[in-house]
Structures are given as structure tokens and as C-alpha cells.
Amino acid sequence: RISREINRIKGDRYGLFGADRPHFPTWKEAFLQLVEDILADGEDFQAPLPLPVDSFRKIFRDRSDCLDSVEEPALIHWDLHDGNVVVDGDMSITGIIDCDRAMWGDPAIEVYHSALFPQGGAFYEGYGGDILKQEGFVPRRELYDLYLALIFVIECESRSVTDPGHREWAQSMLSRQMNTMGLTAL
């Protein structure tokens, strides 16, 4: 329900939340810029990716027409999970934290809609399962999951993650999403 209520807040432009952030007239432009930003980090930090960065750029561009169906910017938390919901002693919700990834965009990008972290019926009972039936939901979600998996791998470099288990997990998430999309590594 919290995610749904956040996503019901509408904006007039697309992009990361904040007046000092670049904004775009279409979701497609905003999302492709988000992708470009993480891929540039991948290049800068020499992240071990299974395909060259330019190949990932091409994949996103070639499959981006599905983003044209997003016609209204919604507020997206993009990191809403149990650990970011503050509750008091009687289990009343008193706050939402960790909004640094908030943006104006497509509600389908919310992490709880990800096939990488499948939610059960309780989530969609609260959110409403109608989002799953939206035109173009599946191809958009595939792009969002690829983007998220790239973040996992690239942030291992930018954040100097030393835990080999976390690095393996990040690579496995990227491999899994590439397999889902029929993409093969070099």
C-alpha cells in the first residue's frame, strides 16, 4: 500500500527527484540517461561486465520503444523495502527513509515489481495487481531488471566491495537477467 500511495503522486517531468537534477520530457529519455550514467561508471571503474559497455548501450536503445507507453511521471522511491520503513512500538508506520534514488518515472521500475526479487500475493494485494496487466509491463520490467543488475555489479567496483560472496551474487543476478532476456555473454 505504501508503494502504491507513493506512486500515485504525479509530477510534470521525468528524472531523478530534486530541482538540481536533470529532467526530461519523456520517460524514455530519462531512463536512457540513468542507464548511460551507470554504464559510464562501469567504464570509469572498469567493472567486469560480460559484454562491452557499448553492447549494453545498444541493447537498451534497441529495446527502449516499450518505454514510450509511460505517459505520466509518478513518484518512485526505488529503494522501498522493509528496512526502509520506520515503525513505532505499536507497529504504526512513522516514516520512510533512504530516498536518495527517488525519481519521477514509471511505477513498474519499483524494486518490488522486479522478477529478480519476486513478491508474493500479499504485495500485490496491497499494491493492486493491475500494474502487471499494463501494456508493455514485461518488456519494460526486463529493461529495469537489467539496469538494476548492472548497478549491482558496477557498484561492487565504485564502492570497493571486497566480499567475494556479494560480488558473485551481483554477477549471478546480471547473468540471470541476461538469460531471461536471451542475451549471451562474450
Side-chain angles (χ1 to χ4, degrees):
R1 288 189 328 262
I2 295 168
S3 186
R4 181 188 66 222
E5 292 305 314
I6 291 171
N7 295 163
R8 284 186 175 163
I9 300 169
K10 304 302 178 188
D12 58 3
R13 60 195 176 204
Y14 296 94
L16 293 172
F17 191 83
D20 61 333
R21 304 286 186 99
H23 294 100
F24 302 87
T26 69
W27 173 236
K28 182 182 197 175
E29 291 171 275
F31 180 70
L32 291 176
Q33 184 59 56
L34 293 170
V35 168
E36 180 55 36
D37 292 345
I38 196 63
L39 291 176
D41 285 350
E43 288 176 318
D44 291 346
F45 289 97
Q46 300 176 353
L49 298 175
L51 292 172
V53 168
D54 283 339
S55 295
F56 280 110
R57 283 186 179 104
K58 183 173 177 8
I59 290 164
F60 282 100
R61 275 194 315 268
D62 289 353
R63 296 179 182 215
S64 66
D65 285 348
C66 63
L67 303 173
D68 291 332
S69 64
V70 180
E71 297 178 345
E72 185 176 33
L75 184 58
I76 310 300
H77 185 281
W78 210 57
D79 197 15
L80 187 61
H81 55 78
D82 294 350
N84 285 339
V85 178
V86 181
V87 296
D88 64 16
D90 68 354
M91 298 307 289
S92 296
I93 296 169
T94 59
I96 304 293
I97 62 169
D98 203 6
C99 300
D100 61 305
R101 294 185 181 191
M103 67 180 86
W104 297 104
D106 178 7
I109 199 171
E110 289 283 18
V111 174
Y112 273 145
H113 298 301
S114 173
L116 298 174
F117 306 104
Q119 298 301 306
F123 174 79
Y124 286 107
E125 185 178 314
Y127 189 91
D130 55 327
I131 192 169
L132 302 172
K133 299 171 190 164
Q134 284 180 351
E135 176 188 344
F137 178 85
V138 171
R140 292 191 331 262
R141 194 57 249 180
E142 286 181 349
L143 288 178
Y144 304 155
D145 284 344
L146 182 60
Y147 171 59
L148 184 59
L150 282 166
I151 289 172
F152 294 152
V153 171
I154 292 167
E155 283 187 348
C156 284
E157 304 309 315
S158 66
R159 295 180 176 185
S160 300
V161 173
T162 58
D163 176 7
H166 184 80
R167 286 176 167 273
E168 289 173 23
W169 171 83
Q171 287 288 345
S172 73
M173 296 302 267
L174 181 54
S175 294
R176 177 177 157 191
Q177 187 56 28
M178 288 178 65
N179 288 338
T180 296
M181 297 175 72
L183 305 171
T184 53
L186 293 179

